[in-house]
Structures are given as structure tokens and as C-alpha cells.
Amino acid sequence: MAEYNERLDEVWDSFHTVVNMNSEELREWLLTEASGETAFDASSPDLGVPSRGEEIVEVLGKRRTDVTDDDVDLMEDVTEFVRSRLVQPRREDPEWRRELMSVGHDPLRPDSVRPDEEDL
């Protein structure tokens, strides 16, 4: 039987609250973003997709019981990153939105966490 992990439960819930894109949506976004000016550079085998984004896609595809300690650390980092960016929203700034979307949070979606709705 798997051991109960209180930290995982807390981080899992927080992560899945702030990450409002599913793994397929995030994967498509990352590939779209990577298809900019430097896309498909013959010298780059990774297609320009950020490794952190790939890691988040993998975590989103996992069941809670399959999450590793490294995954928990990543989920915690992503949660803190998103919350820190949402404290001072800059909805008119496309770079702000790109930063958030690169980790799985689309701030323009109706289910986006708002600072006045949650204690960030």
C-alpha cells in the first residue's frame, strides 16, 4: 500500500488549481510558441520546446500515485510562479500571458484564479 503523503496532497491540489490547461493544451501551446522565428533549427533536436514545459506536460499526464518527489518540487515551483505573476496582473502585456501559458496557466480563461478570489 502506498504511503500517505500530506505534502503531495497539498501541492497536487494547489498545482491543479493554478494550472488550468490540460496536458494536450499545454503541449500544443508549447509547440506553437516553439514555431516562431527559431523553429525547427536543424542544429536543435528539441524543436525549441522549453524543457520545463515538457516536464509539466509529463506531470499533468500522471496519476497522483505515480508522482515522484521531483514532480512534487516542480509542481510547487510552478504553483509559486503562477501565483507570483497573478498578484500584479498585466492582461494587456502579451509577454506576461506567454510566461504563464508556458507553465500551463492561461490567465484569460474564465477559470483563471484571480487574486481577489484566492489568497495568493
Side-chain angles (χ1 to χ4, degrees), residues 15-16 19-24 26-27 30 49-62 71 74-79 81-82 99-105:
F15 175 77
H16 284 89
V19 174
N20 63 2
M21 298 168 72
N22 64 39
S23 60
E24 189 58 34
L26 179 54
R27 178 181 290 112
L30 293 170
V49 175
S51 62
R52 186 173 190 180
E54 288 180 17
E55 292 169 1
I56 295 167
V57 168
E58 287 179 25
V59 169
L60 286 170
K62 289 185 176 185
D71 294 335
L74 175 68
M75 293 182 341
E76 196 168 52
D77 290 346
V78 168
T79 300
F81 175 82
V82 170
E99 286 179 352
L100 286 165
M101 289 188 67
S102 72
V103 297
H105 182 84

Coordinates of all heavy atoms in Angstrom, one line a residue, residues 15-16 19-24 26-27 30 49-62 71 74-79 81-82 99-105:
F15 N -1.4 22.9 -7.4 CA -0.9 22.8 -8.7 C -2.1 22.7 -9.7 O -2.2 23.5 -10.7 CB 0.0 21.6 -8.9 CG 0.5 21.4 -10.3 CD1 1.5 22.2 -10.8 CD2 0.0 20.3 -11.0 CE1 2.0 21.9 -12.1 CE2 0.4 20.1 -12.3 CZ 1.4 20.9 -12.9
H16 N -3.0 21.8 -9.4 CA -4.2 21.6 -10.3 C -5.2 22.7 -10.3 O -6.1 22.8 -11.1 CB -4.8 20.2 -10.1 CG -3.9 19.2 -10.7 ND1 -2.9 18.5 -10.0 CD2 -3.9 18.6 -12.0 CE1 -2.3 17.7 -10.8 NE2 -2.9 17.7 -12.0
V19 N -2.9 25.5 -12.5 CA -2.6 25.0 -13.9 C -4.0 24.7 -14.5 O -4.6 23.7 -14.2 CB -1.7 23.8 -13.9 CG1 -1.6 23.3 -15.3 CG2 -0.3 24.2 -13.4
N20 N -4.5 25.6 -15.4 CA -5.8 25.4 -15.9 C -5.8 24.9 -17.4 O -6.8 25.0 -18.0 CB -6.6 26.7 -15.8 CG -6.0 27.9 -16.6 OD1 -5.0 27.8 -17.3 ND2 -6.7 29.1 -16.4
M21 N -4.7 24.5 -17.8 CA -4.6 23.9 -19.2 C -4.3 22.4 -18.9 O -3.6 22.0 -18.0 CB -3.4 24.5 -20.0 CG -3.6 26.0 -20.2 SD -2.1 26.8 -20.9 CE -2.1 26.1 -22.5
N22 N -4.9 21.5 -19.8 CA -4.6 20.1 -19.7 C -3.3 19.8 -20.4 O -2.7 20.7 -21.1 CB -5.8 19.2 -20.1 CG -6.1 19.4 -21.6 OD1 -5.2 19.5 -22.4 ND2 -7.4 19.4 -21.9
S23 N -2.8 18.6 -20.3 CA -1.5 18.3 -21.0 C -1.5 18.5 -22.5 O -0.5 19.0 -23.0 CB -1.1 16.8 -20.6 OG -2.0 15.9 -21.1
E24 N -2.6 18.2 -23.1 CA -2.7 18.4 -24.6 C -2.7 19.8 -25.0 O -2.0 20.3 -25.9 CB -3.9 17.6 -25.2 CG -3.9 17.6 -26.7 CD -2.7 16.9 -27.3 OE1 -2.1 16.0 -26.7 OE2 -2.2 17.4 -28.4
L26 N -1.4 22.3 -23.2 CA -0.1 22.8 -23.0 C 0.9 22.4 -24.0 O 1.7 23.2 -24.5 CB 0.4 22.4 -21.6 CG 1.8 22.9 -21.2 CD1 2.0 24.4 -21.3 CD2 2.2 22.5 -19.8
R27 N 0.9 21.1 -24.4 CA 1.7 20.6 -25.5 C 1.5 21.4 -26.8 O 2.5 21.8 -27.4 CB 1.5 19.1 -25.7 CG 2.3 18.5 -26.8 CD 2.0 17.0 -27.0 NE 2.5 16.2 -25.9 CZ 1.7 15.6 -25.1 NH1 0.4 15.6 -25.2 NH2 2.3 14.9 -24.1
L30 N 3.0 24.9 -26.4 CA 4.5 24.9 -26.4 C 5.0 24.7 -27.8 O 6.0 25.3 -28.2 CB 5.0 23.8 -25.5 CG 4.8 24.0 -24.0 CD1 5.2 22.8 -23.2 CD2 5.6 25.2 -23.5
V49 N 11.2 23.5 -27.7 CA 10.2 23.5 -26.7 C 11.0 23.5 -25.3 O 11.9 22.7 -25.1 CB 9.4 22.2 -26.8 CG1 8.4 22.0 -25.6 CG2 8.6 22.1 -28.1
P50 N 10.6 24.4 -24.4 CA 11.3 24.5 -23.1 C 11.2 23.2 -22.4 O 10.1 22.6 -22.3 CB 10.5 25.6 -22.4 CG 9.7 26.3 -23.4 CD 9.5 25.4 -24.6
S51 N 12.3 22.8 -21.7 CA 12.3 21.5 -21.0 C 11.3 21.6 -19.8 O 10.7 20.6 -19.5 CB 13.7 21.2 -20.5 OG 14.2 22.1 -19.7
R52 N 11.2 22.7 -19.2 CA 10.3 22.9 -18.0 C 8.9 22.6 -18.5 O 8.1 21.9 -17.8 CB 10.4 24.2 -17.4 CG 9.6 24.4 -16.2 CD 9.8 25.7 -15.5 NE 9.2 25.7 -14.2 CZ 9.3 26.7 -13.3 NH1 9.9 27.8 -13.7 NH2 8.7 26.7 -12.2
G53 N 8.5 23.1 -19.7 CA 7.2 22.9 -20.2 C 6.9 21.4 -20.5 O 5.9 20.9 -20.2
E54 N 7.9 20.7 -21.0 CA 7.8 19.3 -21.3 C 7.6 18.5 -20.0 O 6.8 17.6 -19.9 CB 9.1 18.8 -22.0 CG 9.2 19.2 -23.4 CD 10.4 18.6 -24.1 OE1 11.0 17.7 -23.5 OE2 10.8 19.1 -25.1
E55 N 8.3 18.9 -18.9 CA 8.2 18.3 -17.6 C 6.8 18.5 -17.1 O 6.2 17.6 -16.5 CB 9.2 18.9 -16.6 CG 10.7 18.5 -17.0 CD 11.7 19.3 -16.1 OE1 11.3 20.1 -15.3 OE2 12.9 19.1 -16.4
I56 N 6.2 19.7 -17.2 CA 4.9 20.0 -16.8 C 3.9 19.1 -17.5 O 2.9 18.6 -16.9 CB 4.6 21.5 -16.8 CG1 5.5 22.2 -15.9 CG2 3.1 21.7 -16.5 CD1 5.5 23.7 -16.1
V57 N 4.0 19.0 -18.8 CA 3.2 18.1 -19.6 C 3.2 16.7 -19.1 O 2.1 16.1 -18.9 CB 3.6 18.2 -21.1 CG1 2.8 17.1 -21.9 CG2 3.3 19.5 -21.7
E58 N 4.4 16.2 -18.8 CA 4.5 14.9 -18.2 C 3.8 14.7 -16.9 O 3.1 13.7 -16.6 CB 6.0 14.5 -18.0 CG 6.7 14.2 -19.3 CD 8.2 13.9 -19.1 OE1 8.5 13.4 -18.1 OE2 8.9 14.1 -20.1
V59 N 4.0 15.7 -16.0 CA 3.3 15.7 -14.7 C 1.8 15.7 -14.8 O 1.1 15.0 -14.1 CB 3.8 16.8 -13.8 CG1 2.9 16.9 -12.5 CG2 5.3 16.6 -13.4
L60 N 1.3 16.5 -15.8 CA -0.1 16.6 -16.0 C -0.7 15.3 -16.4 O -1.9 15.0 -16.2 CB -0.5 17.7 -17.0 CG -0.4 19.1 -16.5 CD1 -0.5 20.1 -17.7 CD2 -1.4 19.4 -15.4
G61 N 0.1 14.4 -17.1 CA -0.4 13.2 -17.6 C -0.3 12.0 -16.5 O -0.7 10.9 -16.8
K62 N 0.3 12.4 -15.3 CA 0.5 11.3 -14.3 C -0.7 11.3 -13.4 O -1.4 12.2 -13.1 CB 1.7 11.6 -13.5 CG 3.0 11.4 -14.2 CD 4.2 11.6 -13.3 CE 5.5 11.3 -14.1 NZ 6.6 11.4 -13.1
D71 N 8.7 15.6 -9.1 CA 7.5 16.1 -9.7 C 6.8 17.0 -8.7 O 6.3 18.1 -9.0 CB 6.5 15.0 -10.0 CG 7.0 14.1 -11.2 OD1 7.8 14.6 -12.0 OD2 6.6 12.9 -11.2
L74 N 8.6 20.3 -8.7 CA 8.2 21.0 -9.9 C 6.8 21.6 -9.7 O 6.6 22.8 -10.0 CB 8.3 20.1 -11.1 CG 7.8 20.8 -12.4 CD1 8.7 21.9 -12.9 CD2 7.6 19.7 -13.5
M75 N 5.9 20.9 -9.3 CA 4.5 21.4 -9.1 C 4.5 22.5 -8.1 O 3.8 23.5 -8.3 CB 3.6 20.2 -8.6 CG 3.4 19.2 -9.7 SD 2.3 17.8 -9.3 CE 2.1 17.7 -7.6
E76 N 5.3 22.4 -7.0 CA 5.4 23.5 -6.1 C 6.0 24.8 -6.7 O 5.5 25.9 -6.5 CB 6.2 23.1 -4.9 CG 6.1 23.9 -3.6 CD 6.7 23.2 -2.4 OE1 7.9 22.8 -2.5 OE2 6.0 23.1 -1.4
D77 N 7.0 24.6 -7.5 CA 7.7 25.8 -8.1 C 6.7 26.4 -9.1 O 6.6 27.7 -9.2 CB 8.9 25.3 -8.9 CG 10.1 24.9 -8.0 OD1 10.0 25.3 -6.8 OD2 11.0 24.3 -8.5
V78 N 6.0 25.6 -9.9 CA 5.0 26.1 -10.9 C 3.9 26.9 -10.2 O 3.5 28.0 -10.6 CB 4.5 25.0 -11.8 CG1 3.3 25.5 -12.6 CG2 5.6 24.5 -12.7
T79 N 3.4 26.3 -9.1 CA 2.3 27.0 -8.3 C 2.8 28.3 -7.8 O 2.1 29.3 -7.9 CB 1.9 26.1 -7.2 OG1 1.4 24.8 -7.7 CG2 0.8 26.7 -6.3
F81 N 5.3 30.2 -9.0 CA 5.5 31.1 -10.1 C 4.2 31.7 -10.6 O 4.1 32.9 -10.8 CB 6.2 30.3 -11.3 CG 6.3 31.1 -12.5 CD1 7.4 31.9 -12.7 CD2 5.4 30.9 -13.6 CE1 7.6 32.7 -13.8 CE2 5.6 31.7 -14.7 CZ 6.7 32.5 -14.8
V82 N 3.2 30.9 -10.8 CA 1.9 31.4 -11.3 C 1.3 32.4 -10.3 O 0.9 33.5 -10.7 CB 0.9 30.2 -11.6 CG1 -0.5 30.8 -11.9 CG2 1.4 29.4 -12.8
E99 N 4.4 33.9 -20.5 CA 5.1 33.3 -19.4 C 4.2 32.4 -18.6 O 4.6 31.3 -18.3 CB 5.6 34.4 -18.4 CG 6.7 35.2 -18.8 CD 7.1 36.3 -17.8 OE1 6.3 36.5 -16.8 OE2 8.1 37.0 -18.0
L100 N 3.0 32.8 -18.4 CA 2.1 32.0 -17.6 C 1.6 30.8 -18.4 O 1.6 29.6 -17.9 CB 0.8 32.8 -17.2 CG 1.1 33.8 -16.1 CD1 -0.1 34.8 -16.0 CD2 1.3 33.0 -14.8
M101 N 1.4 30.9 -19.7 CA 1.0 29.8 -20.5 C 2.1 28.8 -20.7 O 1.8 27.6 -20.9 CB 0.4 30.3 -21.9 CG -0.9 31.0 -21.7 SD -1.7 31.5 -23.2 CE -2.1 29.9 -23.9
S102 N 3.3 29.2 -20.6 CA 4.4 28.3 -20.8 C 4.5 27.3 -19.7 O 5.2 26.2 -19.8 CB 5.7 29.0 -21.0 OG 6.1 29.6 -19.7
V103 N 3.8 27.6 -18.6 CA 3.7 26.6 -17.4 C 2.3 26.1 -17.2 O 2.0 25.5 -16.2 CB 4.3 27.2 -16.1 CG1 5.8 27.6 -16.3 CG2 3.5 28.4 -15.7
G104 N 1.4 26.3 -18.2 CA 0.1 25.7 -18.1 C -1.0 26.6 -17.5 O -2.1 26.0 -17.2
H105 N -0.8 27.9 -17.4 CA -1.9 28.7 -16.9 C -2.2 29.8 -17.9 O -1.4 30.6 -18.3 CB -1.5 29.4 -15.6 CG -2.6 30.3 -15.0 ND1 -3.6 29.8 -14.3 CD2 -2.9 31.6 -15.2 CE1 -4.4 30.7 -14.0 NE2 -4.0 31.8 -14.5

